[in-house]
Amino acid sequence: MTSSPHGKSNSRVRHLVLHYTDDDLRGSLISLTGSQVSAHYLLSAPMPETGLPRVYPLVPEARRAWHAGVSQWGERSNLNDTSIGIEIVNAGPLALVPLPAGEQEDARAAVARRWSPSRDFAPWSEAQISALITLLKPIIARHGIKAVDVVGHSDIAPERKTDPGPRFPWQRLHEAGIGAWPRTSDVLCFQRQLASEGLPSQEVLLTALTHYGYPVDAARPELAIAAFQAHFRPGAISGAFDAESAAILLALNSRYRQSPGCQPT
């Protein structure tokens, strides 16, 4: 029996992962066309001759690229298998000062060091974000990628990564129809509820964070909390839940993960 080229099939793609290159265009192209890492697309900064970013297709969407590394989102691990990787030319943050030989760093210290404002994460230009939105919309449509599955590298690998960084405009993407964002009314409602009832236990909030998708290391949960805050509340990345970040998480799960909604008091 010969198989039909029109037999039943579906896309391998479930996730869209966004990265900064932490390099200029030349260095990014060298890295992404070498033997160690790759991505499906590279988006440049605005080009001097046109003032517009340029898209470099590097790996066909049907093929797996090597961009995610050790990673997890929800019940899926090794996201290279199920994702499209978008690398965006951006200088990233100032380099971390290496720890002294033999020195161990606890999770709270790691959060403070990795996400410190003193690292001066590079900004994003409006031209680059507009070009990114134009690139992403048809990819999402082709593969039926859900809003919650448009993520940053730090979301799926919070133990290792900080890209695309706290200055990346996730809300701007959501307003263009890309990715998840909580409803303001839900966040305010949950904040009022928490003010009345108190903050849930750490165990309850970490379960909610896992339910949304984040990989939480029980011994170092601060790193996953910090990655969540960098995505949805970048103005105050502490690695610890407070009323605002807890309300944002509850609002997200209510909107996207079929969790109970807020009960107005």
Side-chain angles (χ1 to χ4, degrees):
M1 178 184 292
T2 59
S3 61
S4 165
H6 305 294
K8 185 176 181 181
S9 65
N10 61 4
S11 172
R12 68 167 187 88
V13 176
R14 297 289 182 272
H15 308 91
L16 190 59
V17 183
L18 305 183
H19 310 254
Y20 56 53
T21 62
D22 203 14
D23 205 344
D24 60 16
L25 177 59
R26 181 177 181 275
S28 300
L29 282 169
I30 291 171
S31 297
L32 293 169
T33 55
S35 61
Q36 300 300 312
V37 295
S38 57
H40 295 89
Y41 297 94
L42 172 66
L43 179 66
S44 79
M47 304 294 282
E49 59 271 22
T50 64
L52 298 173
R54 178 178 173 183
V55 176
Y56 293 81
L58 301 178
V59 176
E61 292 179 14
R63 304 284 292 177
R64 184 174 72 164
W66 298 82
H67 63 97
V70 178
S71 52
Q72 183 171 340
W73 188 246
E75 296 181 354
R76 290 187 180 268
S77 58
N78 192 19
L79 264 67
N80 282 335
D81 291 344
T82 59
S83 66
I84 286 176
I86 312 292
E87 291 275 0
I88 312 165
V89 173
N90 178 276
L94 298 176
L96 282 171
V97 177
L99 292 173
E103 182 174 324
Q104 299 295 315
E105 184 176 51
D106 67 25
R108 287 190 180 275
V111 168
R113 199 165 69 96
R114 293 181 192 183
W115 295 103
S116 170
S118 67
R119 294 195 70 194
D120 196 22
F121 284 79
W124 301 86
S125 74
E126 176 56 31
Q128 200 172 32
I129 296 305
S130 294
L132 179 64
I133 289 168
T134 300
L135 172 64
L136 297 186
K137 280 190 170 184
I139 295 173
I140 291 168
R142 277 195 294 275
H143 300 284
I145 299 170
K146 297 177 181 178
V148 290
D149 294 326
V150 178
V151 292
H153 203 181
S154 57
D155 296 317
I156 63 173
E159 290 277 331
R160 303 183 296 113
K161 297 296 181 178
T162 56
D163 55 318
R167 299 184 74 171
F168 187 77
W170 288 107
Q171 186 174 5
R172 165 89 166 82
L173 262 65
H174 173 74
E175 290 167 354
I178 297 168
W181 199 257
R183 296 185 185 94
T184 300
S185 59
D186 289 344
V187 174
L188 293 174
C189 182
F190 276 114
Q191 284 183 297
R192 290 192 295 270
Q193 184 174 314
L194 295 177
S196 172
E197 300 175 3
L199 206 63
S201 69
Q202 178 83 339
E203 181 181 3
V204 167
L205 290 172
L206 291 179
T207 298
L209 189 61
T210 302
H211 182 62
Y212 186 72
Y214 282 85
V216 177
D217 181 343
R220 293 163 63 85
E222 294 90 349
L223 296 171
I225 297 170
F228 166 78
Q229 290 171 332
H231 189 134
F232 292 105
R233 208 274 305 270
I237 303 171
S238 65
F241 280 114
D242 52 40
E244 183 183 36
S245 54
I248 291 168
L249 175 58
L250 296 173
L252 286 165
N253 275 333
S254 173
R255 184 172 189 179
Y256 297 106
R257 296 300 196 190
Q258 293 77 52
S259 293
C262 179
Q263 302 299 318
T265 55

